[in-house]
Amino acid sequence: MKSRDIFIGIDGGGSKSKIRVEDAEGHLLGQVVSGPANIRLSVEGAWHSIHTALDEVLLQQGLSLNDQNIRFHVGLGLAGCEVPEAVRAFLQTPHSFTTLQLDTDAHIACLGAHQGGEGVIIIVGTGVIGYQIESGKSTSASGWGFPHDDEGGGAWLGLEAARVTFQWLDHRAEKSPLVEDIFSFFQSRYPSICDVGEFSQFNRICTVSTDRD
C-alpha cells in the first residue's frame, strides 16, 4: 500500500486545545476542541488532551496513529513552553509522529495572525501575553503563567472574583449578583480544588452577572 502524509496542527492553551488535521493536498480531514494542554502544569495532561482529540478525528476518517503506511507530521504551539524542563519532558515522551515541531502557543498565534510573517500580537485568554516577531527574533512580555503573572487574563479575573466572594462572606464587601453567582458555583465545588481552567471559567459568570447588574 502506498504511504501517505497527514499533517496535524495543535494549539494548546491553559483551558482548551484546538486540533486540525489535513492531508497532503490541504484538504481538511477534521478539527476538534479538547482539554487543556499547558505543559508547565502537566506534561501528561497535555499529551492526554492531544491523544484524546486526535483519536476522535482520526477514527472518523478510519485512520489510526498506529498505521504504518501513514506518516504523521505534527506542529504544536503549547502553553508552558517557557519552562525548559517541561519542554524536555514533553519531547522525551514516546509518540507515533514521524516529525514533531514544538513552540509556544503565542508564537503560532503570531504567525497565524500575520499569515506566517512578522508582526506583534496581544493575547488575552486564560493568560495574557504580548508577543512580537521582528527580524527573525521573538520577544515577549508577561505570559509567565497563573497565578504569579498574567494579570487581566481569564484565570486571574476568576481568582479576583473568588477573593471578592470570600470578602462578602466575611462581611468585608458588599453583596452583588457576581458574588452570589460565584458562591453558587462554590457550593458544588470548593474553590481550593479549582485549577487554572476552572478559575478561567468564572469569566463567563462575571460577564453574565455584569449584564444583570
Side-chain angles (χ1 to χ4, degrees), residues 177-178 181-182 185 201-210:
L178 171 61
D181 290 343
I182 296 295
F185 179 90
Q201 290 175 18
F202 293 171
N203 247 346
R204 287 188 280 272
I205 300 177
C206 294
T207 301
V208 172
S209 297
T210 300

Side-chain angles (χ1 to χ4, degrees), residues 27-51:
H27 299 133
L28 178 64
L29 300 181
Q31 55 186 356
V32 68
V33 176
S34 185
N38 185 325
I39 62 174
R40 178 180 67 86
L41 300 178
S42 175
V43 168
E44 181 180 347
W47 274 115
H48 176 74
S49 294
I50 290 166
H51 282 299

Side-chain angles (χ1 to χ4, degrees), residues 1-2 19 48 54 56 90 95 104-105 114 130 140 149 167 170 179 193:
M1 182 181 294
K2 184 179 179 181
I19 291 89
H48 176 74
L54 271 181
E56 179 181 339
F90 183 86
H95 59 78
T104 68
D105 54 343
H114 299 286
S140 63
D149 193 30
Q167 291 169 3
D170 288 342
V179 298
I193 56 175

